[in-house]
Amino acid sequence: MCDKSFDSYYRSVFADLSVDQEESATIKSHFLNANPPPDKLLVLRSAAFRIGCEFLTDKKQDNISLLKAISAVVHIMETTCMIPIESKSKEVSFDESEMEALYRKIFEDLLIEADESQELAAFYKNTPPPKDKLRWTRASAFRIGSEFVTDDKTKNIALLRCINSVVHSFELNCLTPKPYTLNVKSFDMKGDISKAAQHLWDLDVNRANANRDYKISVQGGKKPYQKQDEAADPLFT
């Protein structure tokens, strides 16, 4: 699975600022085929917001449509790759109005403070939404967030970051990745060493990629005594 391929895919999804039923099925298939490991889900969800920021304009209604499209992508990822956390506490009353008020409090200054983040996490833990309210809880973050959408791109980027933080807290406290099974293709053990090495490389879905996860800054010269034999940056950055 390549993160950059998802970046490109998100751009194609957000290009028309909408996600219809047919496209929803296609997006679900894309996630199923990619089979992202659990530690990639946060990256993929955050990428939806990051790429979405590229499509913000000075038109408020278009920005609201974009927010709905991002919400659709996040919903599909959650329902395809995650399951609800089983609550161990006794059944408590889930207060929808309190949840909405907390969302508005977070969004009104377009910045989620540490104490607000802790308050939100505590709310999810102490009064966890029932299973039939999970979609509503996450969707409400987008719905209420749309109340704060403007024609100012800088403010809208800040808003998307806030919504992403809220969704992150929601997923962290209310959902968990589905049991993961790596899709492994059969391999001929009598094959040559180069094919074996490539097979191992393909299996490492969480590998670091040059120029994305790290960069190499090589030396200028070839001998220790050459003055130009030093690089401006560390070997790995």
Side-chain angles (χ1 to χ4, degrees):
M1 188 201 75
C2 177
D3 297 348
K4 287 188 176 180
S5 69
F6 263 91
D7 287 358
S8 299
Y9 185 66
Y10 286 157
R11 289 187 179 97
S12 68
V13 171
F14 298 147
D16 61 356
L17 305 180
S18 66
V19 175
D20 57 24
Q21 188 173 1
E22 181 179 354
E23 191 170 25
S24 293
T26 303
I27 296 172
K28 181 176 181 178
S29 296
H30 195 81
F31 277 109
L32 288 172
N33 293 333
N35 191 32
D39 63 345
K40 283 292 185 181
L41 297 181
L42 185 155
V43 175
L44 295 181
R45 187 249 305 145
S46 296
F49 285 89
R50 174 171 52 80
I51 299 301
C53 287
E54 299 175 8
F55 293 84
L56 290 168
T57 68
D58 58 358
K59 298 179 181 179
K60 180 178 178 179
Q61 194 55 50
D62 284 353
N63 295 333
I64 291 176
S65 296
L66 172 63
L67 197 60
K68 291 179 180 178
I70 297 174
S71 176
V73 169
V74 172
H75 170 69
I76 295 167
M77 189 204 76
E78 289 178 353
T79 54
T80 304
C81 305
M82 309 181 81
I83 55 176
I85 293 177
E86 293 295 335
S87 178
K88 297 180 180 180
S89 59
K90 296 181 179 179
E91 186 175 345
V92 293
S93 177
F94 178 69
D95 192 329
E96 296 180 8
S97 59
E98 185 178 353
M99 179 84 277
E100 292 177 326
L102 183 53
Y103 285 165
R104 289 190 175 92
K105 175 186 174 183
I106 291 173
F107 297 149
E108 63 183 359
D109 62 355
L110 303 180
L111 180 67
I112 181 166
E113 303 283 356
D115 59 337
E116 291 177 327
S117 180
Q118 293 171 0
E119 182 181 3
L120 181 63
F123 182 90
Y124 288 138
K125 289 179 180 178
N126 298 331
T127 56
K131 288 184 179 181
D132 61 350
K133 285 293 182 181
L134 288 174
R135 179 176 181 177
W136 178 91
T137 302
R138 191 258 311 137
S140 291
F142 287 89
R143 174 174 54 81
I144 293 175
S146 67
E147 299 174 7
F148 297 85
V149 171
T150 67
D151 55 5
D152 187 308
K153 184 173 182 178
T154 300
K155 291 182 178 179
N156 288 332
I157 289 176
L159 175 62
L160 286 184
R161 288 173 178 168
C162 286
I163 298 174
N164 182 38
S165 296
V166 168
V167 174
H168 174 67
S169 182
F170 165 74
E171 291 177 354
L172 195 64
N173 292 284
C174 302
L175 302 176
T176 189
K178 288 182 177 179
Y180 185 70
T181 302
L182 181 63
N183 295 331
V184 181
K185 296 180 180 178
S186 60
F187 177 72
D188 182 7
M189 296 302 292
K190 296 181 180 180
D192 60 53
I193 188 65
S194 62
K195 291 182 179 180
Q198 184 62 50
H199 183 67
L200 291 175
W201 175 264
D202 293 339
L203 288 177
D204 187 8
V205 294
N206 200 31
R207 60 181 175 269
N209 288 280
N211 298 319
R212 187 196 70 188
D213 302 301
Y214 67 90
K215 292 183 179 180
I216 298 179
S217 181
V218 298
Q219 301 289 350
K222 300 179 181 178
K223 303 293 183 181
Y225 56 79
Q226 289 179 312
K227 292 183 178 180
Q228 71 271 28
D229 188 28
E230 56 184 37
D233 299 313
L235 179 59
F236 289 97
T237 56

